[in-house]
């Protein structure tokens, strides 16, 4: 077992997804979409935070709760990215790349 959360592939992918979402959304943020883009960035960071917290839990039940929180945050990210695509905040090509990463990460969190 890795000694720190950052040594896991899951943690690295969660951090990468959050970083990419923030990078993409920051460029597209306008005054009228700020609340929405802020919520999207917070959802993406919530995934990484829950994944990082899971291995620090003392018992398996608490660890599973952290992963369940990560899955819920991933659903929020997926939904918010779809809204961002439909509302032209992000281009379809960027949405496709991020959605694929969300799907991959979701599989890892579920396993």
């Amino acid at each position: 077992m890795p000694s720190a959360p950052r040594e896991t592939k899951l943690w690295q992918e969660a951090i990468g997804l959050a970083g990419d979402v923030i990078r993409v959304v920051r460029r597209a943020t306008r005054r009228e979409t700020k609340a929405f883009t802020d919520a999207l960035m917070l959802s993406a960071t919530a995934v990484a935070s829950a994944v990082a917290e899971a291995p620090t839990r003392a018992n398996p039940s608490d660890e599973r709760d952290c992963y369940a929180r990560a899955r819920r945050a991933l659903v929020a990210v997926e939904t918010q990215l779809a809204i961002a695509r439909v509302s032209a905040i992000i281009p379809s090509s960027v949405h496709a790349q991020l959605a694929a990463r969300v799907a991959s990460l979701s599989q890892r969190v579920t396993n």
Side-chain angles (χ1 to χ4, degrees):
M1 180 174 166
S3 61
R6 68 180 170 274
E7 294 177 17
T8 67
K9 181 73 171 159
L10 178 59
W11 182 84
Q12 293 168 357
E13 287 184 25
I15 293 297
L17 174 66
D20 287 347
V21 166
I22 290 169
R23 225 179 341 276
V24 166
V25 173
R26 280 180 55 199
R27 282 184 262 156
T29 299
R30 296 181 304 274
R31 185 185 51 180
E32 61 273 12
T33 62
K34 183 163 178 24
F36 175 79
T37 54
D38 285 353
L40 175 53
M41 288 187 280
L42 287 172
S43 294
T45 59
V47 174
S49 295
V51 166
E53 184 181 344
T56 68
R57 293 309 199 170
N59 64 56
S61 175
D62 289 344
E63 187 175 354
R64 282 191 300 275
D65 289 345
C66 289
Y67 288 125
R69 196 166 7 110
R71 282 191 300 276
R72 289 190 300 273
L74 278 166
V75 169
V77 170
E78 183 176 34
T79 302
Q80 291 163 335
L81 285 172
I83 293 167
R85 178 187 49 83
V86 169
S87 61
I89 292 172
I90 62 171
S92 294
S93 60
V94 172
H95 172 264
Q97 292 170 350
L98 292 174
R101 292 187 67 187
V102 168
S104 172
L105 190 55
S106 184
Q107 273 188 327
R108 285 182 162 280
V109 168
T110 300
N111 294 336

